Amino acid sequence: MSQKLITFYDITTKAKPNPGPSPFTAKVRCALNLKGIKFTTVWLEYPEIEAECKRIGAPPTGKRPDGSLLYTLPVIQDLSTGVVMSESNVILEYLDKTYPDTPKLFPGNTLGIQLAFDAAAQTRLLDILPLVIAYIPAGLNPVAEAHWRSTRERQLGKRVEELEPKGEARVAALQKTQASLGEVDGWISKSGEGKFIMGDEMTFVDISLGAALCGVRVALGDKGAAFWEEISGWQSGRWEQLRKACEPYHK
């Protein structure tokens, strides 16, 4: 695969050319690299996403509260098939079917069970969001930060900094997050002694959880390094090990 087959649309942040805090774009980048599919990245600031998605014919991924269509990244444009596709999980399913001679993300008949496991695990991981969200704006370029803040804060009705728990509330939020990740760790522990969740080969669930963890680490940045060190020690270091295993594929 010497020719670049895929145009991959990713979100520009201060981390560029490395992934920003979005676990969804990181998930697709990781899958493309794991599969060895050659791709070119088009970097977009948040305010540019909707217009570019409409220009290339990318499907909307939802609706805003006012009923207007919502366009988000990741998006891929497959130059070999003409397909333009959005939504990370849909993209990963497409890559497995369209490029069958590359490492499988959903080996055997595991598509349904992996999607179900990931949905349950991601629900638990959401507990960390209030502890992380206030760090995200610092990693964005000024034009993207203004757009990101205005859209999120309009929906939430408050500044993102106000969402971060303080004092005893933060202690409680940390305990809840650690317990939720502990529940996921318990599920994974029942899978056996393999390096990854389904054995010795990285599959979809590893990529998805690894992308979420990498997103948290990027969002925390230098200011939140001590917090990440704390997370790294939970569940015998499982989350840092998974993040490090996925990190080389996020380049």
Side-chain angles (χ1 to χ4, degrees):
M1 292 186 185
S2 58
Q3 183 180 1
K4 292 186 177 179
L5 302 175
I6 301 284
T7 301
F8 169 53
Y9 294 81
D10 201 350
I11 302 167
T12 300
T13 69
K14 291 178 181 177
K16 176 187 171 183
N18 295 319
S22 168
F24 307 108
T25 57
K27 190 189 306 186
V28 174
R29 181 178 292 276
C30 183
L32 288 167
N33 282 319
L34 178 66
K35 285 178 165 291
I37 300 172
K38 301 296 183 182
F39 66 95
T40 301
T41 303
V42 174
W43 297 96
L44 299 175
E45 296 280 12
Y46 275 102
E48 300 173 322
I49 292 172
E50 181 171 345
E52 184 65 10
C53 285
K54 289 179 177 178
R55 187 188 72 79
I56 64 175
T61 53
K63 289 187 176 181
R64 298 186 179 90
D66 64 4
S68 61
L69 295 176
L70 177 66
Y71 294 86
T72 61
L73 298 184
V75 164
I76 65 164
Q77 188 171 23
D78 190 333
L79 304 180
S80 65
T81 64
V83 167
V84 179
M85 184 171 290
S86 53
E87 293 199 23
S88 57
N89 286 0
V90 176
I91 291 171
L92 267 58
E93 289 182 48
Y94 169 83
L95 293 175
D96 241 23
K97 292 176 182 177
T98 307
Y99 299 94
D101 296 329
T102 61
K104 288 288 188 182
L105 306 178
F106 303 99
N109 295 315
T110 64
L111 173 60
I113 193 67
Q114 285 203 69
L115 290 175
F117 182 97
D118 183 62
Q122 296 292 346
T123 299
R124 273 67 176 179
L125 279 169
L126 281 176
D127 286 340
I128 204 171
L129 185 58
L131 295 161
V132 174
I133 192 169
Y135 290 88
I136 294 175
L140 304 176
N141 295 320
V143 64
E145 179 183 353
H147 182 272
W148 187 90
R149 278 187 176 278
S150 66
T151 54
R152 272 73 178 172
E153 292 176 355
R154 188 184 313 120
Q155 183 178 359
L156 296 167
K158 60 178 68 176
R159 287 176 56 82
V160 292
E161 286 80 4
E162 296 176 55
L163 297 172
E164 185 178 10
K166 307 290 185 183
E168 292 183 2
R170 187 177 190 278
V171 172
L174 276 170
Q175 291 173 342
K176 182 181 180 183
T177 301
Q178 186 174 10
S180 294
L181 288 174
E183 188 176 9
V184 179
D185 176 67
W187 301 339
I188 296 172
S189 296
K190 295 181 183 296
S191 299
E193 299 298 325
K195 182 179 179 182
F196 296 103
I197 295 172
M198 295 190 63
D200 291 325
E201 301 296 330
M202 186 180 293
T203 60
F204 165 77
V205 286
D206 304 293
I207 288 173
S208 187
L209 289 176
L213 294 166
C214 285
V216 169
R217 182 65 191 95
V218 171
L220 290 173
D222 293 337
K223 185 178 178 182
F227 179 25
W228 179 257
E229 285 300 313
E230 184 175 358
I231 296 170
S232 297
W234 293 350
Q235 286 82 47
S236 301
R238 181 185 294 282
W239 312 119
E240 175 66 353
Q241 292 165 22
L242 180 55
R243 185 190 72 83
K244 283 186 173 180
C246 293
E247 190 175 42
Y249 299 104
H250 289 170
K251 305 299 183 183

